[in-house]
Short mmCIF file of all heavy atoms in Angstrom, two decimals:
data_model
loop_
_atom_site.label_atom_id
_atom_site.label_comp_id
_atom_site.label_asym_id
_atom_site.label_seq_id
_atom_site.Cartn_x
_atom_site.Cartn_y
_atom_site.Cartn_z
N PRO A 20 -11.87 14.60 0.53
CA PRO A 20 -11.53 13.19 0.71
C PRO A 20 -11.62 12.35 -0.55
O PRO A 20 -11.08 11.23 -0.60
CB PRO A 20 -12.55 12.71 1.75
CG PRO A 20 -13.74 13.60 1.53
CD PRO A 20 -13.16 14.95 1.16
N GLU A 21 -12.29 12.84 -1.59
CA GLU A 21 -12.45 12.03 -2.80
C GLU A 21 -11.11 11.65 -3.43
O GLU A 21 -10.90 10.48 -3.78
CB GLU A 21 -13.35 12.74 -3.81
CG GLU A 21 -13.68 11.88 -5.02
CD GLU A 21 -14.64 12.56 -5.98
OE1 GLU A 21 -15.40 13.44 -5.52
OE2 GLU A 21 -14.63 12.21 -7.16
N PRO A 22 -10.17 12.60 -3.62
CA PRO A 22 -8.86 12.20 -4.16
C PRO A 22 -8.14 11.19 -3.26
O PRO A 22 -7.42 10.32 -3.75
CB PRO A 22 -8.09 13.53 -4.23
CG PRO A 22 -9.15 14.57 -4.33
CD PRO A 22 -10.28 14.06 -3.51
N LEU A 23 -8.33 11.31 -1.95
CA LEU A 23 -7.73 10.33 -1.04
C LEU A 23 -8.28 8.94 -1.31
O LEU A 23 -7.53 7.95 -1.34
CB LEU A 23 -7.97 10.74 0.41
CG LEU A 23 -7.55 9.71 1.46
CD1 LEU A 23 -6.05 9.48 1.42
CD2 LEU A 23 -7.98 10.16 2.85
N GLY A 24 -9.60 8.85 -1.49
CA GLY A 24 -10.19 7.55 -1.81
C GLY A 24 -9.61 6.96 -3.08
O GLY A 24 -9.36 5.75 -3.17
N PHE A 25 -9.38 7.83 -4.09
CA PHE A 25 -8.78 7.36 -5.34
C PHE A 25 -7.35 6.89 -5.11
O PHE A 25 -6.93 5.87 -5.66
CB PHE A 25 -8.84 8.48 -6.37
CG PHE A 25 -8.41 8.07 -7.76
CD1 PHE A 25 -8.74 6.84 -8.29
CD2 PHE A 25 -7.65 8.93 -8.55
CE1 PHE A 25 -8.35 6.47 -9.57
CE2 PHE A 25 -7.25 8.58 -9.82
CZ PHE A 25 -7.60 7.35 -10.34
N ALA A 26 -6.60 7.62 -4.29
CA ALA A 26 -5.21 7.21 -3.99
C ALA A 26 -5.20 5.84 -3.33
O ALA A 26 -4.37 4.98 -3.66
CB ALA A 26 -4.55 8.25 -3.08
N LEU A 27 -6.10 5.62 -2.38
CA LEU A 27 -6.15 4.32 -1.71
C LEU A 27 -6.55 3.21 -2.68
O LEU A 27 -6.01 2.09 -2.62
CB LEU A 27 -7.15 4.39 -0.55
CG LEU A 27 -6.71 5.24 0.65
CD1 LEU A 27 -7.88 5.53 1.56
CD2 LEU A 27 -5.59 4.53 1.41
N GLU A 28 -7.47 3.51 -3.58
CA GLU A 28 -7.89 2.52 -4.57
C GLU A 28 -6.73 2.15 -5.49
O GLU A 28 -6.49 0.96 -5.78
CB GLU A 28 -9.06 3.08 -5.37
CG GLU A 28 -9.67 2.11 -6.36
CD GLU A 28 -10.86 2.70 -7.09
OE1 GLU A 28 -11.30 3.81 -6.73
OE2 GLU A 28 -11.34 2.06 -8.05
N LEU A 29 -6.01 3.16 -5.98
CA LEU A 29 -4.85 2.90 -6.84
C LEU A 29 -3.80 2.10 -6.09
O LEU A 29 -3.16 1.19 -6.65
CB LEU A 29 -4.26 4.21 -7.34
CG LEU A 29 -5.07 4.98 -8.39
CD1 LEU A 29 -4.46 6.36 -8.61
CD2 LEU A 29 -5.12 4.21 -9.70
N ALA A 30 -3.58 2.42 -4.81
CA ALA A 30 -2.57 1.72 -4.03
C ALA A 30 -2.94 0.25 -3.85
O ALA A 30 -2.07 -0.64 -3.90
CB ALA A 30 -2.39 2.40 -2.67
N GLU A 31 -4.22 -0.02 -3.62
CA GLU A 31 -4.66 -1.42 -3.50
C GLU A 31 -4.44 -2.18 -4.81
O GLU A 31 -3.97 -3.33 -4.80
CB GLU A 31 -6.13 -1.46 -3.09
CG GLU A 31 -6.37 -0.99 -1.66
CD GLU A 31 -7.84 -0.75 -1.37
OE1 GLU A 31 -8.67 -0.97 -2.28
OE2 GLU A 31 -8.16 -0.32 -0.24
N ASP A 32 -4.76 -1.54 -5.93
CA ASP A 32 -4.52 -2.18 -7.23
C ASP A 32 -3.02 -2.39 -7.46
O ASP A 32 -2.61 -3.42 -8.02
CB ASP A 32 -5.09 -1.31 -8.35
CG ASP A 32 -6.61 -1.30 -8.37
OD1 ASP A 32 -7.22 -2.19 -7.74
OD2 ASP A 32 -7.19 -0.39 -8.99
N LEU A 33 -2.23 -1.43 -7.04
CA LEU A 33 -0.77 -1.54 -7.19
C LEU A 33 -0.27 -2.78 -6.47
O LEU A 33 0.53 -3.56 -7.02
CB LEU A 33 -0.12 -0.27 -6.62
CG LEU A 33 1.39 -0.06 -6.70
CD1 LEU A 33 1.70 1.43 -6.57
CD2 LEU A 33 2.14 -0.81 -5.61
N VAL A 34 -0.72 -2.95 -5.25
CA VAL A 34 -0.29 -4.12 -4.47
C VAL A 34 -0.75 -5.40 -5.14
O VAL A 34 0.01 -6.37 -5.27
CB VAL A 34 -0.82 -4.02 -3.03
CG1 VAL A 34 -0.60 -5.33 -2.28
CG2 VAL A 34 -0.14 -2.86 -2.30
N ASP A 35 -1.99 -5.43 -5.58
CA ASP A 35 -2.54 -6.64 -6.19
C ASP A 35 -1.79 -7.03 -7.46
O ASP A 35 -1.58 -8.23 -7.72
CB ASP A 35 -4.02 -6.44 -6.53
CG ASP A 35 -4.90 -6.39 -5.29
OD1 ASP A 35 -4.44 -6.82 -4.22
OD2 ASP A 35 -6.05 -5.90 -5.40
N GLU A 36 -1.38 -6.05 -8.25
CA GLU A 36 -0.87 -6.35 -9.58
C GLU A 36 0.65 -6.36 -9.70
O GLU A 36 1.19 -6.99 -10.61
CB GLU A 36 -1.46 -5.36 -10.59
CG GLU A 36 -2.98 -5.42 -10.63
CD GLU A 36 -3.56 -4.77 -11.87
OE1 GLU A 36 -2.92 -4.85 -12.93
OE2 GLU A 36 -4.65 -4.20 -11.78
N PHE A 37 1.35 -5.68 -8.80
CA PHE A 37 2.80 -5.53 -8.98
C PHE A 37 3.63 -6.05 -7.80
O PHE A 37 4.83 -6.29 -7.95
CB PHE A 37 3.16 -4.06 -9.23
CG PHE A 37 2.47 -3.47 -10.42
CD1 PHE A 37 1.32 -2.71 -10.29
CD2 PHE A 37 2.96 -3.69 -11.71
CE1 PHE A 37 0.67 -2.17 -11.39
CE2 PHE A 37 2.32 -3.17 -12.81
CZ PHE A 37 1.17 -2.41 -12.65
N TYR A 38 3.02 -6.22 -6.64
CA TYR A 38 3.77 -6.67 -5.47
C TYR A 38 3.87 -8.18 -5.46
O TYR A 38 2.89 -8.89 -5.66
CB TYR A 38 3.09 -6.19 -4.18
CG TYR A 38 3.73 -6.71 -2.92
CD1 TYR A 38 5.07 -6.42 -2.63
CD2 TYR A 38 3.01 -7.49 -2.01
CE1 TYR A 38 5.66 -6.90 -1.46
CE2 TYR A 38 3.59 -7.95 -0.85
CZ TYR A 38 4.91 -7.66 -0.58
OH TYR A 38 5.49 -8.13 0.57
N ASP A 39 5.07 -8.68 -5.22
CA ASP A 39 5.31 -10.11 -5.11
C ASP A 39 5.75 -10.39 -3.67
O ASP A 39 6.86 -10.04 -3.27
CB ASP A 39 6.40 -10.55 -6.09
CG ASP A 39 6.55 -12.06 -6.16
OD1 ASP A 39 6.71 -12.68 -5.09
OD2 ASP A 39 6.54 -12.63 -7.27
N ALA A 40 4.87 -10.99 -2.89
CA ALA A 40 5.16 -11.22 -1.48
C ALA A 40 6.32 -12.19 -1.29
O ALA A 40 7.10 -12.05 -0.33
CB ALA A 40 3.91 -11.75 -0.77
N ASP A 41 6.45 -13.16 -2.18
CA ASP A 41 7.55 -14.13 -2.05
C ASP A 41 8.90 -13.45 -2.26
O ASP A 41 9.87 -13.74 -1.56
CB ASP A 41 7.37 -15.27 -3.05
CG ASP A 41 6.17 -16.13 -2.74
OD1 ASP A 41 5.79 -16.19 -1.55
OD2 ASP A 41 5.60 -16.73 -3.67
N ASP A 42 8.96 -12.54 -3.25
CA ASP A 42 10.22 -11.86 -3.54
C ASP A 42 10.42 -10.61 -2.69
O ASP A 42 11.52 -10.06 -2.64
CB ASP A 42 10.28 -11.46 -5.03
CG ASP A 42 10.37 -12.67 -5.94
OD1 ASP A 42 10.74 -13.76 -5.45
OD2 ASP A 42 10.08 -12.53 -7.14
N GLY A 43 9.36 -10.13 -2.07
CA GLY A 43 9.48 -8.94 -1.24
C GLY A 43 9.78 -7.68 -2.02
O GLY A 43 10.48 -6.80 -1.54
N THR A 44 9.25 -7.60 -3.24
CA THR A 44 9.52 -6.43 -4.06
C THR A 44 8.29 -6.06 -4.87
O THR A 44 7.30 -6.81 -4.92
CB THR A 44 10.71 -6.68 -5.00
OG1 THR A 44 11.16 -5.43 -5.55
CG2 THR A 44 10.35 -7.63 -6.13
N ILE A 45 8.35 -4.89 -5.50
CA ILE A 45 7.27 -4.42 -6.37
C ILE A 45 7.86 -4.29 -7.77
O ILE A 45 8.77 -3.48 -8.00
CB ILE A 45 6.72 -3.06 -5.89
CG1 ILE A 45 6.26 -3.16 -4.43
CG2 ILE A 45 5.56 -2.63 -6.77
CD1 ILE A 45 5.84 -1.82 -3.83
N TYR A 46 7.36 -5.07 -8.70
CA TYR A 46 7.89 -5.08 -10.06
C TYR A 46 7.28 -3.94 -10.88
O TYR A 46 6.21 -3.41 -10.55
CB TYR A 46 7.62 -6.42 -10.72
CG TYR A 46 8.50 -7.53 -10.20
CD1 TYR A 46 8.04 -8.40 -9.21
CD2 TYR A 46 9.79 -7.70 -10.68
CE1 TYR A 46 8.85 -9.42 -8.72
CE2 TYR A 46 10.61 -8.72 -10.20
CZ TYR A 46 10.14 -9.57 -9.22
OH TYR A 46 10.94 -10.56 -8.73
N PHE A 47 7.94 -3.60 -11.96
CA PHE A 47 7.46 -2.53 -12.84
C PHE A 47 6.31 -3.00 -13.71
O PHE A 47 5.46 -2.21 -14.12
CB PHE A 47 8.62 -2.04 -13.72
CG PHE A 47 8.28 -0.83 -14.54
CD1 PHE A 47 8.22 0.42 -13.96
CD2 PHE A 47 8.01 -0.94 -15.90
CE1 PHE A 47 7.90 1.54 -14.71
CE2 PHE A 47 7.70 0.18 -16.66
CZ PHE A 47 7.64 1.43 -16.07
#
């Protein structure tokens, strides 16, 4: 499960830093 925890952590950071809810997209 440890790699899964890391995947979830990275995904949360991805959303925080690259997802724009107003535009409905994920920027590079």
Side-chain angles (χ1 to χ4, degrees):
E21 186 176 335
L23 173 63
F25 187 39
L27 290 165
E28 185 178 352
L29 288 171
E31 290 168 2
D32 290 343
L33 183 159
V34 170
D35 289 343
E36 300 197 34
F37 302 98
Y38 175 60
D39 188 308
D41 293 333
D42 292 342
T44 194
I45 305 174
Y46 286 97
F47 187 76

